[in-house]
Amino acid sequence: MLDIAFVKPALPRSGALVLPLPEGELPAGLARAAEEATGGLLSRALDAAGFKGRKGQSATLWAPVPGLARIVAVGIGKPGELTPEAAEAAGGAIAPLVASEREALLAADALPPALAAHLGFGAMLRSWRFDRYRTTEKEEDKPKLERLAIAASSVPEAKSAFAPMRAIADGVFLTRELVSEPPNVLDPAEFAERCKGLEKLGVEVEIMGPKELKRMGFGAMLGVAQGSAKEPRMVVMQWRGAPRTRKQKPVALIGKGVTFDTGGISIKPAGGMEDMKWDMAGAGAVVGAMAALAGRKAKADVVGLIGLVENMPSGTAQRPGDVVKTYSGQTVEVINTDAEGRLVLADVMWYCQERFDPRCMVDLATLTGAIIVALGHEHAGLFSNDDELAQRVAAAGKGVGEQVWRMPLGEAYDKQIKSDIADMKNVGGRQGGSITAAQFLQRFTNGRPWAHLDIAGTAWSSKDLPVAAKGATAFGVRLLDRLVAEMAEEG
Ligand code: BES
Ligand code: MN
Ligand code: ZN
């Protein structure tokens, strides 16, 4: 993992010098010092390259002075208009540009220290990669950047702004790792075991296996699990960070953790089925958010619950037509065994509200292909029975670059999941598929403030993004961290 250090401004003698440059004149400080050290080559080269300092622009000068391998200029737009999110994107753009250097110095001395921290955060998030299973990659093809020193106008201020970001990055990386792991490695038992790792951050972790789930009556979740040779798990994580004088009901986070979704007897087509290893990204985001909150010692009480199963076809698998009894007592006719996420969440959500009496519940799930049809990969779907909570979730997402778009709920949609023989069926037809899935979940909220994020389109990216290389994005970790900060820690 990339090591970030904040240092006093001084030109480096080796490696790369990275200059975040606004439109117009070179800023005072290290950029001007570099201009002088290169005898004016810097500005001449930038002119020749057509570099104007616009966002998204970059230019590289090779061997500009003896010792220094390169100067990389990255555009940050109009002077004084850099937002935290744009700073993170600029930081993200830097990572691949200096990946073949072992060390780089980022000259953020002309920017406010908080923005220097955001630049570092972006670089850190963008440079994470999952290489556990690469054994034959050539040394020269591997990214080498180990240390990014960031020159800041105030080292202590930049450091303290960066401290929570480091904890959040750790949470993001944990999520990305869980989501990236192959399904033969990360089965429900292994996933639960990895949650135990949060204990060292002060999180209480409980794991429940099939016996307990059966005793409690988790009929819907167990119906999904019954076709698999892998045992299901539910993990309950508690972070108690609220000061004794400011105790409130906890915020509850709930995640869908299907470690592999074949569809079950309603089996999916072969093409692209490997993608269904990341059908546990909701649970992954909840675990990463708990790690981030505990890592930065958030002053709030938060519980995280995840339901972990594998959805397989077999002689013991549940059938289309089966009726299962959920933990809430409501019965469900299983029309399609591929609509399994809602069955898992139904039991976990009811249990969560009954045991913890939370002030709100936020669930994350790679729930439907239909949400990708509706929103593509740019927004997650937001569904809520509470306008204020919905607004808070949307604002938190906007603030961290994890955008959500609110979708409707309503009685007419709810009718689509009426069953002829049970309290409901688990699918409502092709039309409005992500909405009827949310209607199903709403029946397990017991009327409590609840928000559901359908992250099927955003949990994984097939292209590089500003602050995430292609692959697992950890969508939701930063949103949840921000939501808790604004909802439960303010004041
Ligand atoms: N895990 C899938 C949803 C999904 C699809 C996530 C594509 C990411 C990418 C979910 O369990 C599922 O299979 N949903 C079905 C529901 C249908 C049977 C009502 C779907 O979306 O097709
Ligand atoms: Mn499915
Ligand atoms: Zn699924």
Side-chain angles (χ1 to χ4, degrees):
M1 190 167 69
L2 181 61
D3 173 32
I4 304 279
F6 293 92
V7 299
K8 292 202 178 118
L11 283 181
R13 277 178 237 274
S14 61
L17 169 64
V18 183
L19 302 174
L21 297 180
E23 293 173 32
E25 279 176 20
L26 289 178
L30 286 179
R32 291 273 179 79
E35 171 76 346
E36 260 170 51
T38 58
L41 170 69
L42 175 61
S43 50
R44 287 202 311 279
L46 292 179
D47 273 348
F51 179 90
K52 304 248 189 296
R54 285 197 288 265
K55 275 184 203 156
Q57 280 193 312
S58 67
T60 298
L61 280 69
W62 298 97
V65 291
L68 204 56
R70 64 182 109 177
I71 296 178
V72 177
V74 180
I76 57 171
K78 299 231 156 54
E81 288 184 10
L82 187 63
T83 62
E85 201 188 332
E88 286 168 16
I94 289 164
L97 291 172
V98 294
S100 59
E101 224 64 62
R102 216 169 279 285
E103 286 202 349
L105 180 98
L106 171 60
D109 54 320
L111 293 167
L115 288 180
H118 282 288
L119 280 165
F121 191 33
M124 199 174 177
L125 292 174
R126 179 67 173 76
S127 54
W128 183 87
R129 94 184 195 133
F130 187 68
D131 51 14
R132 178 167 296 163
Y133 301 106
R134 297 176 198 269
T135 67
T136 57
E137 193 177 31
K138 291 199 196 87
E139 246 348 278
E140 68 257 34
D141 293 337
K142 290 186 182 160
K144 283 178 204 58
L145 190 65
E146 284 167 5
R147 183 169 185 272
L148 181 65
I150 303 179
S153 58
S154 161
V155 171
E157 279 180 51
K159 268 189 182 163
S160 67
F162 191 70
M165 296 176 193
R166 196 185 287 280
I168 295 165
D170 284 342
V172 165
F173 298 159
L174 172 59
T175 301
R176 288 186 187 165
E177 180 169 304
L178 291 167
V179 174
S180 303
E181 282 283 16
N184 59 330
V185 172
L186 197 82
D187 59 23
E190 173 64 17
F191 192 143
E193 209 43 55
R194 293 197 190 182
C195 294
K196 279 264 172 204
L198 297 193
E199 285 177 340
K200 65 178 187 297
L201 297 171
V203 177
E204 289 165 48
V205 182
E206 280 166 69
I207 300 177
M208 289 163 219
K211 280 202 204 80
E212 288 143 296
L213 296 172
K214 190 156 192 193
R215 188 168 42 72
M216 293 193 297
F218 273 40
M221 176 165 159
L222 289 170
V224 177
Q226 77 186 35
S228 170
K230 309 284 193 182
E231 288 182 354
R233 297 283 187 272
M234 175 167 71
V235 183
V236 178
M237 293 158 280
Q238 297 187 63
W239 168 250
R240 297 174 214 252
R244 208 166 296 147
T245 51
R246 287 223 337 265
K247 282 290 177 201
Q248 300 187 53
K249 295 173 174 186
V251 172
L253 313 177
I254 295 157
K256 167 181 173 180
V258 177
T259 61
F260 195 72
D261 180 13
T262 63
I265 295 299
S266 314
I267 198 163
K268 289 180 182 294
M273 200 200 274
E274 67 281 5
D275 284 353
M276 285 301 117
K277 75 169 184 180
W278 43 265
D279 208 20
M280 36 55 69
V286 168
V287 177
M290 294 302 291
L293 292 164
R296 68 171 180 78
K297 302 211 167 9
K299 292 186 173 51
D301 289 344
V302 184
V303 297
L305 290 89
I306 58 177
L308 302 169
V309 296
E310 184 180 61
N311 188 21
M312 294 293 255
S314 77
T316 64
Q318 80 178 339
R319 295 147 289 255
D322 282 4
V323 173
V324 295
K325 185 163 188 152
T326 65
Y327 178 63
S328 72
Q330 301 174 86
T331 57
V332 179
E333 183 186 9
V334 178
I335 300 295
N336 187 320
T337 65
D338 197 10
E340 84 297 340
R342 62 199 76 179
L343 295 168
V344 174
L345 289 170
D347 283 342
V348 179
M349 282 169 57
W350 192 270
Y351 175 85
C352 174
Q353 59 84 29
E354 184 183 86
R355 175 169 167 193
F356 292 105
D357 185 24
R359 53 188 287 206
C360 66
M361 297 197 278
V362 181
D363 81 79
L364 289 89
T366 48
L367 203 62
T368 67
I371 200 67
I372 310 176
V373 176
L375 300 177
H377 302 283
E378 313 306 323
H379 289 82
L382 163 65
F383 301 81
S384 182
N385 59 3
D386 184 294
D387 290 344
E388 190 195 326
L389 178 63
Q391 193 277 328
R392 281 178 183 275
V393 169
K398 214 176 184 85
V400 299
E402 293 181 343
Q403 302 253 58
V404 303
W405 192 262
R406 188 154 181 201
M407 301 280 288
L409 290 166
E411 247 173 71
Y413 294 111
D414 196 63
K415 281 208 187 106
Q416 285 179 237
I417 55 172
K418 273 193 172 164
S419 160
D420 292 335
I421 70 155
D423 297 332
M424 70 197 86
K425 53 185 181 179
N426 76 330
V427 294
R430 271 177 50 77
Q431 289 151 0
S434 60
I435 306 172
T436 49
Q439 291 295 156
F440 184 96
L441 297 181
Q442 190 175 5
R443 292 179 178 221
F444 298 89
T445 60
N446 205 8
R448 292 170 187 265
W450 154 79
H452 156 59
L453 293 176
D454 193 335
I455 60 170
T458 54
W460 187 270
S461 177
S462 51
K463 60 177 206 275
D464 290 338
L465 299 174
V467 294
K470 102 184 196 191
T473 60
F475 186 99
V477 173
R478 297 181 60 193
L479 180 154
L480 293 174
D481 174 75
R482 177 64 69 91
L483 180 71
V484 169
E486 307 228 308
M487 208 169 156
E489 292 183 271
E490 68 203 6

